[in-house]
Amino acid sequence: MGVKFALPEAMDTVEWCGRGPHESYVDRKGSAPICLWRGALADQDHDYLRPRKIGSKSDVRWMTRTDGGRPCAWRWTGH
């Protein structure tokens, strides 16, 4: 299942509580400590040679997008 929606382009920062700061798929999540992370949304994308899933974060408790200071009205939480 997926969800697609639009947010203002100014919302270019992502914050999350979970594994990071790099991708943390099951085969490399041991190198990604659980912490509070923040970074540019563009930095979550990786230009792989072949198309595939990108930017996955494991064990995320919550995630939000901001414009660098002001949080958006959405906050995603996990169990």
Side-chain angles (χ1 to χ4, degrees):
M1 182 173 97
V3 177
K4 185 176 181 178
F5 55 91
L7 289 173
E9 287 188 29
M11 297 276 180
D12 59 356
T13 303
V14 62
E15 293 181 356
W16 71 98
C17 179
R19 295 194 181 272
H22 53 73
E23 294 177 322
S24 56
Y25 292 96
V26 69
D27 63 337
R28 74 180 286 200
K29 74 180 194 175
S31 68
I34 295 176
C35 194
L36 179 60
W37 300 100
R38 182 180 191 176
L41 187 60
D43 292 343
Q44 308 310 308
D45 185 26
H46 302 278
D47 193 17
Y48 291 116
L49 187 57
R50 294 186 313 164
R52 62 184 76 198
K53 295 190 311 185
I54 57 170
S56 180
K57 309 287 192 251
S58 298
D59 303 324
V60 173
R61 276 66 168 165
W62 59 263
M63 186 274 287
T64 190
R65 282 182 61 182
T66 70
D67 65 1
R70 185 183 57 203
C72 93
W74 294 88
R75 183 172 178 155
W76 295 266
T77 58
H79 301 286

